[in-house]
Amino acid sequence: GEEGVLLNVEIQGADRKGPIQLKLTIEFQHRIFGGVLHFDDPNFIPILFDRLSHCTGWTVKQIGDLELD
């Protein structure tokens, strides 16, 4: 079946009050979708951002198969 492709990863909230979060943008079936990830440990967000920012153009399945240390 078709899979979404990661287009963009951004850190949001680092410059204002409120929680820091990770915003993902994907393309699926020729449509653009966005989502926001929140984590209990905000220190994990820059780590995940660094890892995912190298994965733009990858399918969601490829990203899901990644091993995180």
Side-chain angles (χ1 to χ4, degrees):
E2 281 192 51
E3 297 180 21
V5 174
L6 182 65
L7 299 178
N8 192 40
V9 182
E10 298 175 46
I11 293 178
Q12 292 186 327
D15 60 346
R16 63 178 200 261
K17 291 182 181 178
I20 186 172
Q21 54 198 20
L22 202 58
K23 179 182 176 189
L24 305 179
T25 306
I26 66 164
E27 180 182 4
F28 178 69
Q29 295 183 343
H30 308 291
R31 297 177 64 195
I32 305 297
F33 296 91
V36 177
L37 302 177
H38 301 267
F39 297 91
D40 291 334
D41 182 357
N43 295 316
F44 184 65
I45 293 173
I47 296 166
L48 190 57
F49 171 79
D50 183 57
R51 189 68 182 261
L52 290 177
S53 64
H54 294 95
C55 298
T56 55
W58 291 25
T59 66
V60 172
K61 176 165 181 359
Q62 288 173 304
I63 295 167
D65 290 341
L66 282 174
E67 294 288 330
L68 295 178
D69 299 330

